[in-house]
C-alpha cells in the first residue's frame, strides 16, 4: 500500500493538471457548460414552440453557454475538497485510465512520473474524457 504522502502528492499533481492544462479546461468547458445550456435551451424551446423551437433554443442555449466563464472551476474545486477515501478512489480511477492508454503501473508511482503521464496521454480524447468522467463520478 502506498503512503498517504505519495497519494497526496499525486492528488496535487492531478489538481495542478486539471487547473493548468488547457486541453482539460477546454474539455470541461465544452462538455459541461455547453451541454447544460444547449440542452436546457433546446428543451425550453421545444416545449414552447415544437421542433423549430428546440433548434432555436439549442442555438441560443449554446450561445449563452459559450459566453459564461469559469464554469469548470466548480468541478475542480469539488475535487480539491474530496475526503481522503474518495480522493484515493479518484487517483486509482485516473491511474486505470492512464494504464489503459499505455502508461505502466510503475510509471505512476511518483508524483513527477504521474504528472508526466497525465500530460503525455491527455493528448488523446479518450484519456481526457476518462479523466473527467472519473472526476465527475468522484464528486457525485
Amino acid at each position: 500500500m502506498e503512503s498517504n504522502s505519495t497519494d497526496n502528492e499525486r492528488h496535487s499533481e492531478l489538481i495542478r493538471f486539471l487547473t493548468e492544462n488547457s486541453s482539460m479546461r477546454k474539455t470541461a468547458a465544452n462538455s459541461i457548460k455547453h451541454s447544460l445550456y444547449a440542452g436546457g435551451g433546446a428543451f425550453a424551446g421545444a416545449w414552447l414552440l415544437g421542433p423549430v423551437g428546440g433548434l432555436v433554443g439549442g442555438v441560443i442555449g449554446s450561445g449563452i453557454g459559450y459566453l459564461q466563464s469559469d464554469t469548470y472551476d466548480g468541478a475542480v474545486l469539488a475535487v480539491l475538497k474530496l475526503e481522503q477515501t474518495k480522493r484515493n478512489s479518484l487517483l486509482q480511477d485516473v491511474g486505470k485510465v492512464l494504464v489503459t492508454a499505455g502508461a505502466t503501473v510503475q510509471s505512476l508511482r511518483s508524483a513527477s512520473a504521474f504528472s508526466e503521464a497525465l500530460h503525455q496521454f491527455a493528448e488523446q480524447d479518450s484519456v481526457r474524457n476518462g479523466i473527467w468522467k472519473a472526476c465527475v463520478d468522484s464528486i457525485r
Side-chain angles (χ1 to χ4, degrees):
M1 185 87 185
E2 295 183 21
S3 71
N4 278 345
S5 176
T6 303
D7 287 344
N8 289 339
E9 290 170 356
R10 290 190 309 162
H11 182 259
S12 294
E13 287 302 321
L14 175 60
I15 295 302
R16 185 182 351 263
F17 176 76
L18 292 173
T19 58
E20 293 176 0
N21 185 280
S22 62
S23 294
M24 293 305 292
R25 285 196 305 259
K26 181 178 178 183
T27 297
N30 287 329
S31 66
I32 295 170
K33 179 174 52 182
H34 285 131
S35 66
L36 292 175
Y37 283 104
F43 175 78
W47 186 69
L48 293 172
L49 301 172
V52 172
L55 174 65
V56 172
V59 170
I60 291 171
S62 292
I64 292 170
Y66 176 78
L67 296 174
Q68 297 299 314
S69 63
D70 299 327
T71 302
Y72 57 87
D73 283 345
V76 172
L77 291 174
V79 169
L80 275 169
K81 296 176 182 178
L82 286 176
E83 60 188 49
Q84 192 65 42
T85 55
K86 285 190 173 193
R87 181 183 292 188
N88 293 343
S89 177
L90 169 60
L91 290 171
Q92 289 176 353
D93 291 346
V94 170
K96 288 176 188 174
V97 170
L98 293 172
V99 168
T100 299
T104 63
V105 173
Q106 285 74 17
S107 72
L108 302 178
R109 293 203 189 272
S110 75
S112 62
F114 184 74
S115 177
E116 287 177 31
L118 282 170
H119 289 279
Q120 176 185 355
F121 292 105
E123 297 299 317
Q124 302 171 25
D125 286 338
S126 62
V127 172
R128 286 194 308 272
N129 293 337
I131 291 170
W132 274 113
K133 181 183 182 317
C135 290
V136 169
D137 289 347
S138 73
I139 59 176
R140 286 187 180 163

